[in-house]
Amino acid sequence: MSDEELKALEKEVKKAKRIANEAASVLHDLIEDKLPDAYGELMGVAQATYDACKAWDEANKKFLAASSETA
């Protein structure tokens, strides 16, 4: 894998992590500030957070595997 491809994967991981952190922040704010009144939002926000974290995990695993191949 070329250095450019590896840098692109690293950028993808950073972007996925930022998105996951933003989703976690929304979940935190919901729990901290809106529950129990906004309980109807909980499943959707939790699923979005889970999906974002899973996307980060998959991107990170792909990057780590590519990194170990070039090392």
Side-chain angles (χ1 to χ4, degrees), residues 29-40:
D29 290 348
L30 175 64
I31 291 167
E32 190 85 4
D33 301 331
K34 296 181 180 179
L35 289 181
D37 292 337
Y39 74 91

Side-chain angles (χ1 to χ4, degrees), residues 9-35:
L9 285 176
E10 184 177 20
K11 185 176 180 180
E12 182 181 331
V13 169
K14 288 179 181 181
K15 180 180 178 182
K17 186 172 184 177
R18 180 184 51 79
I19 292 169
N21 283 332
E22 289 172 2
S25 179
V26 171
L27 180 60
H28 176 268
D29 290 348
L30 175 64
I31 291 167
E32 190 85 4
D33 301 331
K34 296 181 180 179
L35 289 181

Side-chain angles (χ1 to χ4, degrees), residues 5 32 37 39 41 49 52-53 62 67 71:
E5 291 170 321
E32 190 85 4
D37 292 337
Y39 74 91
E41 298 174 39
T49 303
C53 290
K62 186 176 176 181
S67 295

